[in-house]
Amino acid sequence: MSGNSKKGLDRRDLLIASIATVGAAATLAAGSVKAQDAAAPSLEAASDGSQGTVYTGEVIQGKKVVSALDVNDLESGQKHLLYFQGVQMPTGQYWYVSVTVAKGAKPGKRVVMTSGVHGDEMSSIHTVQTVMNQLDPVQMSGTVMTVTDISRPAIEGMQRRWPNFGRGNDLIDMNREWPGNENGATAPSRHAGLLFNRLLRPNADAAIDFHTGTSGFDVTAFNIGGMDIPEVKAMVELYPVGQIFDSHVYPGVLHNAFVDAGIPSFCPEIGAARVLDLEMISLFVEGTMNVLKHHGIIAGPVGRTGKDVSVFLGNSAFPILATEGGIVEHLVKLNDKVEAGQKVAIQRNSFGEVVAEYTSGVTGEVTGQRRDAMSEPANPLVFILFQKPPPEGVEAYPE
């Protein structure tokens, strides 16, 4: 089984490299074309964080529309509800995203919270909304800005990927597009570029990008972040959740785009897609309020943190992939500890015969499981979070 898993990882890495190459070529081809005139400052102006707020003059459901935002322009001690004008549709209309800004009465740090990069991740949206509903700008120092529906067309269908129509019907994972390209070859790339350059990056001293598992695959409560970055480590450890995945994961994800721009950021993962897991959401609300206290934005004692729960820290995820088609029966649950060689699932064909047995190749904890009962070959069935030792011959220093 471990051999099949290794093959899957190699193929994924190859695909990522291929996509990056194609994306670079597309960028060069489109670089001389201005894909969307958003009546906002240039990309150069956006990159230094000095642009001001640009109102389009439109009002949607009583909320003003902006094509660029500087939270310093907003009145202090209030909450502001705005729409940001994103990428154009084929009809020439725009995809708008919802922006809430809690502008403290006193100056301080700026924290950006995002959700809805994948359209099937409801608990992430609810977590951000719950945090914002607990904030009183009159009592705050600094600013909290949230965007809860980044991938609007994906959210409309409650599906993971953005339905793109530039070259026929296509589905694009927006969390491989960041920081985007305002003149990119696809709508998700252009949308990401507009948001990152004109809304997210200019208003962030720290950022949190909330997610959940994907449709058909459940995950436990954990945070993903590069623990080698002190500012990220400090925030991640403030959550009373059971697992931490110490990893910089894939190219093109939003929290890495923030990190690459010098803004500490990480990614909470909040259970299953398409549902609200209120018990799990409460853990991430508590942790996020701790982060805001850590940055001095709100006052009060820090709640439970990672020190108060048995946090499991891993730096790698071992995938167990299906080798057959059939019904999958899990023998372990999320957060269960497993040993190398332990059987974690079996699979039966239409006659009820066992056609495959799956074992863990590592010692660690279950961090994700396929929820759908049926599986075809190559589908991930289980992910095991584990601590991968450093390569041989490479010194590891505790600091």
Side-chain angles (χ1 to χ4, degrees), residues 42-53:
S42 67
L43 181 59
E44 289 77 14
S47 65
D48 64 15
S50 61
Q51 83 276 23
T53 300

Side-chain angles (χ1 to χ4, degrees), residues 44-183:
E44 289 77 14
S47 65
D48 64 15
S50 61
Q51 83 276 23
T53 300
V54 177
Y55 292 93
T56 68
E58 297 172 283
V59 177
I60 300 175
Q61 296 176 328
K63 300 170 179 63
K64 294 181 179 179
V65 178
V66 298
S67 58
L69 180 64
D70 184 343
V71 295
N72 293 318
D73 297 333
L74 302 178
E75 188 170 350
S76 299
Q78 292 186 16
K79 282 187 181 176
H80 304 267
L81 308 181
L82 304 164
Y83 278 112
F84 178 84
Q85 178 181 279
V87 76
Q88 278 189 322
M89 308 176 196
T91 60
Q93 305 300 310
Y94 293 93
W95 285 113
Y96 298 98
V97 298
S98 308
V99 181
T100 303
V101 181
K103 178 77 177 291
K106 293 175 285 188
K109 291 287 187 69
R110 303 167 304 163
V111 171
V112 167
M113 299 189 296
T114 55
S115 62
V117 173
H118 291 135
D120 58 352
E121 301 184 353
M122 301 298 108
S123 286
S124 63
I125 295 172
H126 193 276
T127 300
V128 173
Q129 292 172 338
T130 303
V131 170
M132 289 302 285
N133 288 337
Q134 294 184 13
L135 298 182
D136 180 1
V138 175
Q139 304 298 323
M140 287 171 46
S141 300
T143 302
V144 179
M145 183 181 80
T146 67
V147 186
T148 53
D149 50 5
I150 284 179
S151 189
R152 274 290 312 283
I155 289 175
E156 298 296 345
M158 203 182 290
Q159 63 184 20
R160 178 179 175 84
R161 296 177 176 86
W162 179 299
N164 186 66
F165 301 101
R167 292 174 174 82
N169 195 10
D170 190 15
L171 293 173
I172 295 178
D173 188 338
M174 195 174 179
N175 212 30
R176 303 295 183 269
E177 297 291 326
W178 302 95
N181 180 349
E182 292 188 24
N183 297 303

Side-chain angles (χ1 to χ4, degrees), residues 240-304:
V241 298
Q243 295 176 350
I244 296 173
F245 186 8
D246 176 14
S247 174
H248 291 277
V249 294
Y250 311 109
V253 302
L254 177 52
H255 78 270
N256 278 343
F258 279 117
V259 170
D260 291 342
I263 299 164
S265 182
F266 63 98
C267 172
E269 294 279 355
I270 314 171
R274 300 177 66 87
V275 298
L276 292 183
D277 189 327
L278 296 179
E279 182 177 353
M280 198 176 288
I281 286 169
S282 68
L283 300 177
F284 286 93
V285 170
E286 186 174 2
T288 303
M289 298 300 283
N290 287 342
V291 169
L292 299 182
K293 293 170 185 175
H294 168 75
H295 287 297
I297 293 175
I298 60 176
V302 171
R304 295 176 302 160

Side-chain angles (χ1 to χ4, degrees), residues 294-344:
H294 168 75
H295 287 297
I297 293 175
I298 60 176
V302 171
R304 295 176 302 160
T305 70
K307 294 181 179 179
D308 299 304
V309 297
S310 299
V311 176
F312 181 83
L313 175 65
N315 60 12
S316 294
F318 181 82
I320 298 175
L321 308 180
T323 58
E324 304 287 339
I327 296 177
V328 178
E329 178 183 344
H330 291 289
L331 306 179
V332 292
K333 302 186 298 296
L334 292 174
N335 290 107
D336 278 359
K337 297 185 183 300
V338 298
E339 300 292 331
Q342 179 178 339
K343 190 187 300 183
V344 297

Side-chain angles (χ1 to χ4, degrees), residues 213 218-223 242-243 269-272 280 284 334-335 365-369 385:
D218 293 352
V219 300
T220 185
F222 69 99
N223 283 316
Q243 295 176 350
E269 294 279 355
I270 314 171
M280 198 176 288
F284 286 93
L334 292 174
N335 290 107
E365 283 193 6
V366 179
T367 195
Q369 287 181 316
L385 185 64

